[in-house]
């Protein structure tokens, strides 16, 4: 007989005792005095069995007790701050598994066009911004909508009427298109003699192809995908100080009020001012959330050299608060730019491309994608890929399978984000390959994009089978939800949870009046439960960044990254989830945001 089983049983009994009744396990000893006790609420722990309790005690920034209101009193001492939850819901802090938090700087130093109703409104805003920012050499901006300028996009000649002397470059709200004035095109050397770059489109005025001196057609003013870099590469970057100002604004005005304590910033550049800014905030103790970043790798890059650069960058960021462990790939573009890569042709292929078989193009050739992902994987870096079309998703899965096979790696947790169209057979492949799905539940509805871009470009039934969610969960896939801020505004996880449950959002603000026949519900079969949505915005986000041992659920020993929501989301009507609000956000047990007397 061996001693080992006895020891194991003893350990198991001890572990159970600690887990279930820590107070009892410490019988005979006074429980430690907590710094903070939260009681009288619905404590929704998001532990593996979704345990619900009444009270939590926190000491040294960590959770030390979860249980009843009565039992928690043993942890209260004269110095303990006691918060009465009055029936509110206590949750782990939210995760946003794909949000460009570092780009908040652009909200401070560029013109914001989000939600404006017309091209004229954009032009007025740009003229006004330019007039009040005489010191800026470039006028940049973001947030114009492709829905207001379908086809070749908005025109340089229009933008010239607002600002002609200084260059102007305006990102579309999805960041896949850039609207430029003539001065910006001139500085970039983009003319009718410039061919489209690989992976990009220079939109042209109709009927100008082959005109004298303009073999490729006169540029209209809108650039798509990689063509945008011909202009953006000329614009001076924001300074480290400006980035820090933006990041602190994100913390104060977005993360705190929306209860976000973890964010994955998916599009950073190695050695950039943005990375430096995150690091300075992290190492000086100014971050009140955990940030994980991905460094971008494109098809034109030397992958071997880049991997060395990424490893050197990763080694510089060693705090809990900021690390760059991942590499961002783009498999394709977006449906609204006709750059999403589809298995079947676009519904308007003939009209758009003059080719009835047009189905978009991958940004990487499959062999190159396989090789690059294998290199990144072998170096121990995580892969985070953008894939919108069903063909892009399949080819990304192919490349991840290839990388796992040649490297014999396990447990890497790559992520694929956006996943607008997914072939039925691919859900099981996500699960088998351990790929985390990173959807934006905020987009699970029939909105302007659906009506004016997706329906005409994709046709039925494809447009009605966008943005799966339940299929992933049913297949056993890890799903970490995200906003893609600033693409989504506001990036309020409660809105995302509600939309995931309803596949519709009451009170949606339309830029156009909705067609009378539209009920707004997108693919109701893909509705999931509020419990599943909460997990996708908490523990699964932590899992996606290897943080589930530290945060993402309320469990003893984990960081007290906690939020209070003013309604019990598991019992309120689904259409009340989005109008609920975060009233208290704690990071490592310290108050980051509070309202309504909390
Ligand atoms: Zn993004």
């Amino acid at each position: 007989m061996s001693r080992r089983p006895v020891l194991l049983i003893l350990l198991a009994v001890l572990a159970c005792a600690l887990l279930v009744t820590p107070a009892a396990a410490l019988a005979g000893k006074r429980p430690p005095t907590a710094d903070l006790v939260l009681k009288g609420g619905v404590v929704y722990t998001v532990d593996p069995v979704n345990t619900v309790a009444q009270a939590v005690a926190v000491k040294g920034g960590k959770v030390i007790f979860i249980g009843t209101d009565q039992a928690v009193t043993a942890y209260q001492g004269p110095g303990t701050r006691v918060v009465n939850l009055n029936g509110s819901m206590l949750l782990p802090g939210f995760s946003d598994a794909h949000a460009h938090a570092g780009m908040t700087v652009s909200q401070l130093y560029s013109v914001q066009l989000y939600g404006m109703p017309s091209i004229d409104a954009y032009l007025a805003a740009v003229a006004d911004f330019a007039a009040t920012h005489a010191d800026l050499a470039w006028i940049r901006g973001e947030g114009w909508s492709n829905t207001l300028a379908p086809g070749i996009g908005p025109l340089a000649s229009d933008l010239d009427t607002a600002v002609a002397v200084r260059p102007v470059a305006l990102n579309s709200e999805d960041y896949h298109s850039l609207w430029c004035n003539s001065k910006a095109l001139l500085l970039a050397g983009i003319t009718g003699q410039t061919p489209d770059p690989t992976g990009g489109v220079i939109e042209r005025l109709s009927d100008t192809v082959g005109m004298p001196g303009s073999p490729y057609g006169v540029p209209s003013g809108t650039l798509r995908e990689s063509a945008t870099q011909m202009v953006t590469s000329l614009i001076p970057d924001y300074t480290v100080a400006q980035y820090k100002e933006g990041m602190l604004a994100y913390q104060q005005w977005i993360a705190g009020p929306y209860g976000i304590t973890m964010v994955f910033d998916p599009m950073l550049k190695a050695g950039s001012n943005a990375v430096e800014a995150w690091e300075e905030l992290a190492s000086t103790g100014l971050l009140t959330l955990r940030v994980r970043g991905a460094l971008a790798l494109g098809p034109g890059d030397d992958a071997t050299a880049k991997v060395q650069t990424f490893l050197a960058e990763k080694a510089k960021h060693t705090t809990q608060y900021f690390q760059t462990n991942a590499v961002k790939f783009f498999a394709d573009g977006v449906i609204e730019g006709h750059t999403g890569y589809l298995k079947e042709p676009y519904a308007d292929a003939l009209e758009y491309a003059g080719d009835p078989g047009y189905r978009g193009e991958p940004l990487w050739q499959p062999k190159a994608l396989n090789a690059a992902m294998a290199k990144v994987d072998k170096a121990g870096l995580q892969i985070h890929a953008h894939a919108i079309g069903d063909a892009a998703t399949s080819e990304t899965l192919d490349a991840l399978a290839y990388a796992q096979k040649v490297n014999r790696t396990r447990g890497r947790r790559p992520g694929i984000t956006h996943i607008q169209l997914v072939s039925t057979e691919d859900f099981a492949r996500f699960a088998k390959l351990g790929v985390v799905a990173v959807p934006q539940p905020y987009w699970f509805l029939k909105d302007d994009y659906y009506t004016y871009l997706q329906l005409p470009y994709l046709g039925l039934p494809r447009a009605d089978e966008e943005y799966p969610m339940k299929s992933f969960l049913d297949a056993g896939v890890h799903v970490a939800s995200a906003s893609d801020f600033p693409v989504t505004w506001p990036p309020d996880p409660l809105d995302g949870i509600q939309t995931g449950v309803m596949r519709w959002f009451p009170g949606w603000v339309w830029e156009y009046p909705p067609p009378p026949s539209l009920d707004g519900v997108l693919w109701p079969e893909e509705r999931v439960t509020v419990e599943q949505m909460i997990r996708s915005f908490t523990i699964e986000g932590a899992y996606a960044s290897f943080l589930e041992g530290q945060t993402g659920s309320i469990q003893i020993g984990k960081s007290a990254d906690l939020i209070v929501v003013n309604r019990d989301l598991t019992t309120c009507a689904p259409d009340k989830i989005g109008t609920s609000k975060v009233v208290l956000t704690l990071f490592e047990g310290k108050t980051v945001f509070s309202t309504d007397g909390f």
Side-chain angles (χ1 to χ4, degrees), residues 277-311:
W278 276 131
E279 178 58 33
E280 284 185 18
L281 293 174
S283 55
T284 51
L286 290 173
L287 287 185
T288 55
L289 74 170
R290 286 179 176 77
V291 182
R292 294 296 177 268
L295 304 166
L297 180 72
D301 291 331
D302 174 349
T304 308
K306 278 278 182 181
V307 163
Q308 291 313 310
T309 310
F310 295 163
L311 289 172

Side-chain angles (χ1 to χ4, degrees), residues 332-490:
D332 65 346
V334 291
I335 302 297
E336 54 268 30
H338 284 100
T339 49
Y341 180 39
L342 308 177
K343 289 188 175 169
E344 301 295 331
Y346 278 87
D348 62 343
L350 185 60
E351 195 188 335
Y352 174 75
D355 166 12
Y358 177 77
R359 55 193 185 97
E361 270 168 38
L363 294 180
W364 292 75
Q365 291 310 309
K367 266 195 180 157
L369 188 64
N370 286 0
M373 285 197 173
K375 267 184 194 143
V376 166
D377 174 73
K378 190 169 187 186
L381 295 163
Q382 225 182 327
I383 290 165
H384 185 79
H386 160 122
I388 293 259
D390 44 6
T393 302
S394 289
E395 289 194 359
T396 303
L397 290 170
D398 292 345
L400 291 168
Y402 173 84
Q404 282 188 16
K405 198 171 125 203
V406 297
N407 297 332
R408 297 170 182 274
T409 43
R410 289 191 161 273
R412 285 280 196 256
R413 304 185 191 175
I416 303 184
T417 192
H418 307 321
I419 38 186
Q420 189 164 345
L421 295 172
V422 182
S423 299
T424 308
E425 63 272 19
D426 278 343
F427 295 113
R429 296 175 74 206
F430 270 81
K432 182 165 169 262
L433 295 166
V435 180
V436 180
V438 184
Q440 283 69 36
Y442 304 83
W443 308 344
F444 295 176
L445 73 164
K446 288 183 180 171
D447 57 0
D448 319 50
Y449 271 75
Y450 170 87
T451 311
Y452 300 104
L453 299 166
Q454 292 156 1
L455 194 55
Y457 295 1
L458 294 173
L460 292 173
R462 273 189 307 197
D464 281 357
E465 292 170 359
E466 293 184 291
Y467 300 121
M469 181 75 177
K470 185 170 184 292
S471 295
F472 282 117
L473 293 167
D474 288 351
V477 179
H478 285 278
V479 180
S481 287
S483 69
D484 202 10
F485 163 83
V487 178
T488 296
W489 181 262

Side-chain angles (χ1 to χ4, degrees), residues 168-205:
V168 182
L170 308 169
N171 277 299
S172 59
E173 59 190 343
D174 63 10
Y175 271 73
H176 287 262
S177 300
L178 192 72
W179 177 18
C180 303
N181 70 351
S182 298
K183 179 79 178 185
L185 294 174
L186 179 75
L187 289 174
I190 297 172
T191 69
Q193 298 180 16
T194 314
D196 289 354
T198 310
V201 174
I202 299 168
E203 296 285 7
R204 321 277 175 169
L205 296 175

